[in-house]
Amino acid sequence: MSILEFVNIKQGAKSSYRYSNGNTLPMTQLPFAMAGFAPQTDSAVKNWFYSPDSRSLEGVRLTHQPSPWIGDYGALTLLPQSERIFTEPDKRWSGYRPEDAVLRPDYMRLYFLRSGCELCLVPTDKGAYIRLNYAFKGDKWFSVFPEGGNFHAELDTEKATLYGWTDQHSNDKAENFKMYFVLKFNKGDINAESTVICDSGAHIGISGEKAECRLAVSYISTEQALINLDRDTAPDGFDGARKMAAELWEERLSLISVKTDNKKLLRTFYSCLYRVFLYPHKAYETDANGNEIHYCPYDGKIRPGKRYTDNGFWDTYRTVFPLFSIIAPKDYKAFVEGFVQDYMDCGWLPRWPSIGEVGCMPSTLIDAVIADGAVKGIIRGELLETALRGMLHHSVNESADRRFGRNGAKAYRKYGYVPNDVEEQSVNLTLDAAYGDFCIAKAAEISGDTETEREYRKSSKNYKNIFDTESRFMRGRDSLGNMRPDFDPFAWGGEYTEASAWQTTFAVQHDIDGLAELFGGVPKLLERLDEFFKTPPAYKVGAYCAEIHEMTEMAAVDFGQCAISNQPSFHIPYIYAYLGEREKSVYWVDKICNELFSPETDGFPGDEDNGTMSAWFIFSALGFYPLCPGKAEYINIGRTLFESAGICGKRFDPAAQGKFIPHGFFKCSERAKGL
C-alpha cells in the first residue's frame, strides 16, 4: 500500500486562539516548496481560516503561513463562481461536504455546492496545476482574491494568461515585497468578455464546463514567474504532475520504514513525517541562465544565492534539524546555506524569518542548528566559517531593531547573565545564551579556532549564575545580583518564556552533569524530576496578566508540570535516561505518545510548530532522542513502538544500545551506554 494512504494532512487542524491541538493547516504542497494550498473556510477568524468542522468554503488559499501566531504573506484565494460574481467573503462562500473532500499532500479535490464546480489541484514547486469541472451551465468565473495588501492584475487574452501581484504580508520586516503570479489557462477555456478585474480581485470568465490552468509565483518579477511556470511543467500535464507529486512524497515518506499492525500508530507516524517536510519554505528561484537568486527582504533588492524562510529556530532546533541531519542531510546543508545568506545580506543570522524577519521568540537558537550540522560533518569549510562569524557577531552585539540578534547580549557579556532589570524573559535569555555559547564553542572546535572554543566553553557555564540554591530553581537577578523576594515557581512569564520556573529550570541540555552538581548530585536531580512529574499542573498567569493557551493545554492533561504542549518540556522526560533511569523515560515517553498524539484533527497536545512536535513524536516512537543538539549523540531509551524500523534503508534496533549509526555520525550518549 502507498505510504501516502496513511497521511492525514488535517492532523492537528482542530484548533483555536485559546486552545491548540496543533494549530496546523492541511497543506497540499511539495516538500519545502515555495507555494502551499489549503481550504479556506472562514477568513473572518483571521489566521485560523481553516476549520475541519466547517461546512462552508470560501475557496482554496495559496498560503505560506507557518503558524497562526506568525500570519501569512503573498496569500491569494481561488474560488470558482457561477450565476454572478460575489466579492465579499461573507457573501461569496459556498457550502461543501468535508466528508467528500480529498485532501492529500499531493492532491486536493473540493466540490463547491453553490457553483456546482469540482476543483482539483496538484501542487508544483512554485505553484499548481488546477482542473475545473462545472456541473451547471450558464455564466461561470474563476476568481482570484487577495488576502489583504495591495493587488494588481491584468489579462492577456491572446495568451489566456492572468498576470498580477500582491504585497500582502504580516508581522515581518520586508522591504518592497511583492509576490508576482501568473495564471495560464488552456486556450479556449476563458471568456474574455465576461472577465472582470478590479482592486478586490480578478474574475476570469470560463467559456465551457471544463477548464484547466497552471499557476506559478515569484518574489522577483512577472518574468521570473513565467520562468518558474515553464520549469514546473510536467509531462502529460495535470495527470503527469499528479504522478510526480505522489512519487516525490512517497520518496520522502519512505526514508523511515516501520512495521506494525497498529494502523492508528502508522497513521500518526506518517502524518507526522509529512509535517516535517513542509518547512522551511524555499524563498529562492533560478533565473533564465540557471543562477540561483532571491528577493532580499532587508533592502528589497534581488541578490544571488539560496534563501529559505518560514522557520522559528527556538522551536525547530530541538527536533526538526536533528531529524534532518539523519534523513535529509543534503537539505540540511542547503537550509544552512540559505540562513547564512541572510547574514551576508543584512549582517544578522535569522531568528524567525517569515519572508522577512519576525523575531517573535527570544535569542538565537540557530546556533544549535549550525553546531549540530558541524559536529555531524554536514557543515564544513567556508560555510561553517561564515556561519561562525555570524554567531560570534550576535553573541556580543545588539541590533537597534530588536527582531535581530540576541536580546541582552551586551548585558550577558558584562554580568555573566541577563539582568531582569535590563530585559524581560531574563532567565530564558541567560539559559539560551549559555547554550548558544556552547554551540559556538563546538563550531569553533570544528573550525580549529581553539581560543574561541576555550572562551565560549567557559561562558557556556553561565547558567550557574542564575541558579537559586535555596529554591532550587533558575531565577532572574537584577544588575546588582539580587533576586526578587516575591518568587512563585508557578507564575508564568516575566523572567520566563511561555513557561514558569518549573519548566525552564531544566533547560541546560548541554551540561546535565553540571546541572546535577547544582542540585547536589544525580540522586537530588532525579528527586526533582520525580517532583516535577508529580506536582499538579497548577499555574498562575503571572506577568502575562491573562491566560495563554500553553497554560490551558498543560492543565488539560495531568502530566504534572511537564507542559509537553510546548518546547521547553520536550527534552525533560529523556533526562531520566541520561542519568541512568531509562525505565522512567520509557514510562513518560510512552504515556505521552499513546495518550496525547493521534492522526486526527485534535492529534497534537499543543502547537505543532513547523514540524517540531511531529519530529518529537517520530524520535520518541523510534526510541531515541537528540537531548542536546550540538553533540553528535542521541539518548537511546532501548525500545521502539514498532515491530521493526529502518532509517534511510538501514535497520534500527533499539536493543543495540546505541550501535545503530545512520550515516556513521552519531553515537549513544556516553553516560547512557550499556544501560
Side-chain angles (χ1 to χ4, degrees):
M1 182 182 289
S2 164
I3 300 176
L4 274 168
E5 301 300 324
F6 293 109
V7 175
N8 179 17
I9 71 172
K10 295 191 290 183
Q11 181 192 31
K14 190 175 182 178
S15 301
S16 66
Y17 179 87
R18 293 184 177 181
Y19 196 88
S20 174
N21 288 302
N23 264 330
T24 62
L25 287 171
M27 298 282 277
T28 296
Q29 177 199 302
L30 295 187
F32 313 125
M34 182 179 284
F37 301 86
Q40 178 168 297
T41 58
D42 188 357
S43 57
V45 198
K46 303 299 183 183
N47 297 341
W48 286 264
F49 58 80
Y50 171 77
S51 168
D53 296 330
S54 178
R55 305 192 76 83
S56 70
L57 196 56
E58 293 178 359
V60 174
R61 181 156 169 159
L62 189 165
T63 176
H64 306 93
Q65 181 170 293
S67 162
W69 307 110
I70 299 299
D72 210 344
Y73 63 91
L76 298 171
T77 300
L78 312 174
L79 174 67
Q81 299 200 67
S82 65
E83 186 183 5
R84 55 180 285 199
I85 295 171
F86 290 86
T87 59
E88 297 176 12
D90 63 345
K91 293 183 179 179
R92 73 186 190 227
W93 64 271
S94 168
Y96 90 117
R97 300 185 182 102
E99 63 272 16
D100 294 336
V102 176
L103 296 175
R104 294 164 48 108
D106 61 317
Y107 177 69
M108 173 191 297
R109 187 181 74 222
L110 299 169
Y111 188 77
F112 293 79
L113 295 168
R114 178 174 176 174
S115 60
C117 183
E118 178 189 68
L119 183 153
C120 302
L121 181 148
V122 174
T124 61
D125 192 51
K126 294 179 176 64
Y129 276 75
I130 300 170
R131 179 175 285 171
L132 304 170
N133 296 309
Y134 288 86
F136 303 153
K137 297 185 182 298
D139 294 334
K140 296 174 286 294
W141 295 268
F142 188 56
S143 298
V144 180
F145 294 101
E147 290 295 333
N150 297 300
F151 175 81
H152 173 78
E154 56 187 68
L155 178 67
D156 184 328
T157 55
E158 292 295 320
K159 296 181 179 179
T161 301
L162 181 74
Y163 306 93
W165 55 261
T166 175
D167 63 3
Q168 178 262 336
H169 62 110
S170 298
N171 300 311
D172 56 319
K173 182 176 183 179
E175 295 292 333
N176 301 319
F177 169 74
K178 284 183 181 178
M179 187 192 76
Y180 301 87
F181 67 89
V182 293
L183 190 65
K184 184 177 180 62
F185 286 83
N186 292 338
K187 286 190 175 180
D189 284 351
I190 69 169
N191 182 345
E193 293 183 0
S194 64
T195 294
V196 177
I197 298 177
C198 54
D199 292 341
S200 62
H203 313 281
I204 309 303
I206 303 299
S207 59
E209 278 67 52
K210 296 181 182 297
E212 287 194 8
C213 60
R214 295 167 53 211
L215 172 69
V217 302
S218 169
Y219 302 138
I220 293 171
S221 66
T222 298
E223 292 74 21
Q224 184 63 47
L226 286 167
I227 293 171
N228 296 343
L229 187 76
D230 288 341
R231 285 214 168 90
D232 279 353
T233 300
D236 302 321
F238 183 97
D239 295 328
R242 183 176 179 184
K243 181 181 178 183
M244 291 173 62
E247 289 175 348
L248 183 55
W249 270 112
E250 289 286 347
E251 179 184 355
R252 289 289 186 170
L253 295 171
S254 65
L255 289 171
I256 304 179
S257 58
V258 294
K259 182 180 179 181
T260 178
D261 292 330
N262 187 333
K263 293 297 190 289
K264 177 183 176 182
L265 178 58
L266 279 176
R267 291 180 64 225
T268 304
F269 187 86
Y270 283 114
S271 297
C272 285
L273 190 55
Y274 144 81
R275 291 235 152 252
V276 167
F277 288 116
L278 292 177
Y279 306 96
H281 284 145
K282 288 180 184 175
Y284 70 94
E285 303 165 57
T286 305
D287 67 15
N289 298 317
N291 301 310
E292 293 174 345
I293 56 175
H294 66 276
Y295 153 77
C296 174
Y298 310 112
D299 58 13
K301 296 180 180 179
I302 307 305
R303 296 181 178 273
K306 289 184 174 69
R307 186 169 190 269
Y308 287 88
T309 189
D310 302 328
N311 177 81
F313 296 102
W314 192 82
D315 304 310
T316 57
Y317 90 85
R318 304 170 197 261
T319 57
V320 175
F321 284 93
L323 184 59
F324 285 157
S325 73
I326 301 172
I327 64 175
K330 290 183 180 179
D331 291 306
Y332 194 127
K333 182 181 179 183
F335 297 151
V336 174
E337 288 174 355
F339 301 148
V340 170
Q341 184 66 53
D342 270 25
Y343 167 63
M344 297 167 67
D345 285 352
C346 76
W348 298 94
L349 286 165
R351 206 164 91 183
W352 221 126
S354 186
I355 201 60
E357 180 60 63
V358 178
C360 74
M361 299 303 288
S363 208
T364 53
L365 278 310
I366 191 174
D367 296 336
V369 174
I370 295 167
D372 208 43
V375 300
K376 293 171 181 173
I378 299 171
I379 305 170
R380 283 286 192 269
E382 184 178 349
L383 177 60
L384 178 57
E385 291 172 5
T386 306
L388 180 57
R389 288 198 297 272
M391 296 162 79
L392 290 170
H393 175 70
H394 66 219
S395 74
V396 296
N397 296 295
E398 294 181 24
S399 171
D401 186 337
R402 288 178 61 82
R403 305 182 206 214
F404 296 94
R406 290 185 187 176
N407 302 135
K410 291 184 178 180
Y412 173 79
R413 291 293 156 204
K414 178 179 179 180
Y415 296 100
Y417 59 93
V418 179
N420 57 20
D421 55 352
V422 173
E423 291 281 352
E424 295 181 349
Q425 305 179 45
S426 62
V427 171
N428 277 87
L429 287 171
T430 299
L431 297 176
D432 288 346
Y435 175 50
D437 285 358
F438 164 81
C439 294
I440 291 173
K442 297 297 289 187
E445 178 185 7
I446 301 298
S447 296
D449 186 346
T450 55
E451 183 177 347
T452 297
E453 178 196 357
R454 186 164 47 250
E455 176 187 350
Y456 280 82
R457 196 171 292 277
K458 180 179 179 181
S459 59
S460 73
K461 307 290 185 179
N462 282 345
Y463 68 88
K464 297 180 180 181
N465 296 334
I466 59 169
F467 185 77
D468 177 19
T469 55
E470 182 177 344
S471 67
R472 297 186 303 157
F473 285 106
M474 296 291 179
R475 294 183 55 193
R477 295 183 185 276
D478 63 21
S479 301
L480 299 177
N482 300 314
M483 293 183 174
R484 289 173 176 155
D486 56 344
F487 173 66
D488 186 339
F490 296 98
W492 283 49
E495 298 172 346
Y496 307 98
T497 303
E498 294 184 357
S500 70
W502 271 110
Q503 297 81 33
T504 308
T505 292
F506 301 97
V508 191
Q509 303 96 307
H510 63 291
D511 191 15
I512 299 297
D513 294 325
L515 181 65
E517 289 178 7
L518 292 179
F519 274 92
V522 169
K524 293 294 185 181
L525 179 53
L526 287 169
E527 286 179 9
R528 177 46 71 93
L529 283 171
D530 290 342
E531 186 181 359
F532 173 76
F533 282 100
K534 290 178 181 177
T535 300
Y539 60 90
K540 296 181 180 179
V541 298
Y544 282 110
C545 298
E547 184 155 339
I548 61 174
H549 71 96
E550 289 88 354
M551 302 172 189
T552 319
E553 292 147 13
M554 179 188 73
V557 296
D558 192 0
F559 287 76
Q561 286 292 316
C562 183
I564 205 66
S565 59
N566 206 21
Q567 284 74 18
S569 291
F570 274 17
H571 71 292
I572 298 177
Y574 288 94
I575 297 176
Y576 277 122
Y578 180 88
L579 296 176
E581 294 195 356
R582 181 181 285 178
E583 70 285 352
K584 289 185 178 179
S585 285
V586 171
Y587 173 82
W588 286 110
V589 170
D590 284 5
K591 185 175 176 64
I592 292 167
C593 286
N594 293 327
E595 295 183 16
L596 301 184
F597 286 82
S598 83
E600 306 307 327
T601 56
D602 60 353
F604 293 108
D607 283 355
E608 199 278 332
D609 286 327
N610 308 135
T612 304
M613 194 167 282
S614 291
W616 187 94
F617 179 84
I618 290 166
F619 277 122
S620 298
L622 292 172
F624 65 107
Y625 188 78
L627 182 66
C628 179
K631 293 183 179 180
E633 62 185 39
Y634 291 67
I635 290 294
N636 176 12
I637 60 176
R639 72 95 187 95
T640 175
L641 297 181
F642 303 101
E643 295 174 21
S644 63
I647 303 177
C648 299
K650 194 168 184 179
R651 186 173 182 272
F652 170 59
D653 180 6
Q657 298 180 351
K659 296 178 183 178
F660 167 65
I661 309 177
H663 298 183
F665 62 60
F666 81 76
K667 61 182 180 179
C668 183
S669 167
E670 291 294 328
R671 177 182 283 276
K673 270 187 175 180
L675 295 177

